[in-house]
Amino acid sequence: MTPAIGGLTNRHADHSLAIWRNGRVTTMQVRDGWEPREGWSIVTQGDTIVWLGPANQLSAEHRRGIEIEHDLDGKLLTPGLIDCHTHLVYGGKRDDEFEMRLGGVSYEEIARAGGGIRATVAATRSASTAELLDSACRRAKTLQRGGVTTIEIKSGYGLDFETETRCFEVARQVGTVCGLSIRTTCLSAHTVPQEFAGNGDAYVAAVCQWLPRWKSSGLMDAVDAFCDTVGFSLEQTRRVFDCATKLGLPVKCHAEQLSLQGGAALAASYGALSCDHLEYLDDVGIAAMRAAGTVAVLLPGAYYTLRQTTPPPVAQMRRAGIPVAVATDHNPGSSPLLSLPLAGNMACTLFGLTPQEAIAGMTVRAAQALGLKDRGVLQPGLQAHFAVWELDHPREIVYWL
Ligand code: NIG
Ligand code: FE
């Protein structure tokens, strides 16, 4: 059984017309439902979808121009999956902490003792750029085999200007090397590094000086902060968001993961693209996210790994009409997970999403969480990013473990 053939980003460099025939297509457009459409074809030009529909409705004009043919042989085709929250670039690993946590030491205790994020920061700073690229590409290719075509990659394991810059550059290179579309997010406000120990405010001031430099070199697409007792206070998070907003960058927030801090409501007041984790989200945060149109990104890999017991308030989010996305949160500490379909499975089993909500959360909602309007559903004019599956029905994407 090979459920996934993998994510395919159409990269016929020129503008020749290509056809993908004989597919069973789920577009993830609400009006199409999600039952696969039998015998559909998709016509692409360069990296764009120009037509899709039943093969017998293909116009003579399109038929004449086609130069490249792909036979899908009845396979299921969906929008390429979008992993909208990862920390894919880092050095080392933290299997020792996994063992410690199983022995009863908590994630916060490890962090306060100088392990956790700081351990990965030390390993990342001492890794060469080539090593960082090689390990990140291996992870990216694993995600790609699970149908992923777009990955958001956060910085946040360098925590000094030079290493964060290298991590951004590596993240961009992953896209070129692996044939993936990459969005980068600055998470320099991930934890206070050793050299600023006890002086989080000074560190935040330093981050605010770095942001304009990364903005002008085009290295980052958004700004995130970890608002938590082991991360940054509400006031520090506000300062980071003020700097981002002045630069015209959208914000995101690691919010209410380990405790309720009010990060979600704060981020929503900046029109955040997304708030992520949200296990402890309250009604105030829900109302603020609803008003701002902020996406809730659920990260069941971290919930599972940290053996948390309070799931995010999915029923309330649903009632409020908050868009819900699902991501791997891949990182070496709280979520060493490299399968987005498995994250989708966990979102169903642990958080109560329906399979259709989970798959929308990995396609159309994930695109929204990244502020991308050109992908996430299959439609003429949008990106030709596909996932091809040896499956009968899209719900199987989150069924197979
Ligand atoms: O999203 N919550 C903060 N950051 C990461 C974990 C980072 C780490 O443990 O290395 C997360 O879970
Ligand atoms: Fe994260």
Side-chain angles (χ1 to χ4, degrees), residues 314 318 346-354 357:
V314 165
R318 212 183 260 133
M346 290 174 164
C348 295
T349 305
L350 302 176
F351 295 166
L353 261 59
T354 66
E357 284 173 330

Side-chain angles (χ1 to χ4, degrees), residues 18-257:
I19 189 162
W20 307 69
R21 292 190 187 286
N22 197 18
R24 296 169 42 260
V25 177
T26 289
T27 66
M28 291 312 287
Q29 297 234 57
V30 176
R31 63 155 192 262
D32 291 338
W34 82 323
E35 295 303 322
R37 302 300 179 107
E38 304 285 334
W40 273 32
S41 293
I42 302 187
V43 179
T44 59
Q45 183 160 35
D47 56 11
T48 306
I49 297 170
V50 292
W51 183 86
L52 79 169
N56 59 9
Q57 289 176 20
L58 181 66
S59 72
E61 184 203 340
H62 273 143
R63 199 170 306 133
R64 267 197 306 277
I66 284 163
E67 292 165 60
I68 303 158
E69 299 221 6
H70 303 276
D71 186 0
L72 291 165
D73 196 20
K75 292 187 185 68
L76 177 68
L77 188 139
T78 66
L81 302 188
I82 299 170
D83 196 348
C84 66
H85 179 141
T86 84
H87 309 247
L88 210 69
V89 177
Y90 58 83
K93 53 187 171 177
R94 307 225 297 273
D95 50 306
D96 52 343
E97 292 181 9
F98 171 61
E99 201 167 7
M100 283 162 74
R101 284 198 309 276
L102 290 171
V105 189
S106 77
Y107 182 72
E108 289 95 326
E109 281 165 336
I110 293 171
R112 288 188 210 290
I117 297 171
R118 277 192 188 170
T120 300
V121 169
T124 304
R125 287 178 178 179
S126 62
S128 71
T129 302
E131 285 164 348
L132 291 174
L133 180 62
D134 180 63
S135 63
C137 280
R138 278 186 285 120
R139 294 172 199 128
K141 284 180 184 156
T142 306
L143 287 171
Q144 194 173 34
R145 283 195 294 275
V148 169
T149 50
T150 299
I151 305 179
E152 184 253 22
I153 301 179
K154 298 176 196 295
S155 73
Y157 288 121
L159 306 189
D160 60 35
F161 182 76
E162 185 263 321
T163 316
E164 290 281 277
T165 305
R166 285 202 295 136
C167 290
F168 282 128
E169 287 166 353
V170 165
R172 292 279 195 231
Q173 283 171 38
V174 168
T176 320
V177 173
C178 301
L180 282 157
S181 180
I182 302 294
R183 300 296 287 178
T184 57
T185 299
C186 174
L187 183 60
S188 297
H190 198 189
T191 199
V192 178
Q194 193 61 53
E195 60 275 19
F196 284 89
N199 202 352
D201 287 344
Y203 178 63
V204 165
V207 170
C208 288
Q209 292 192 337
W210 302 337
L211 288 178
R213 297 167 72 183
W214 293 321
K215 157 85 184 183
S216 57
S217 47
L219 281 173
M220 71 184 162
D221 304 313
V223 174
D224 196 340
F226 181 24
C227 183
D228 199 273
T229 52
V230 291
F232 293 86
S233 70
L234 218 48
E235 189 43 46
Q236 291 165 338
T237 303
R238 185 194 310 278
R239 261 176 262 152
V240 174
F241 289 169
D242 278 337
C243 296
T245 305
K246 271 195 205 110
L247 293 168
L249 289 163
V251 305
K252 302 168 83 69
C253 191
H254 280 69
E256 337 300 8
Q257 178 189 12

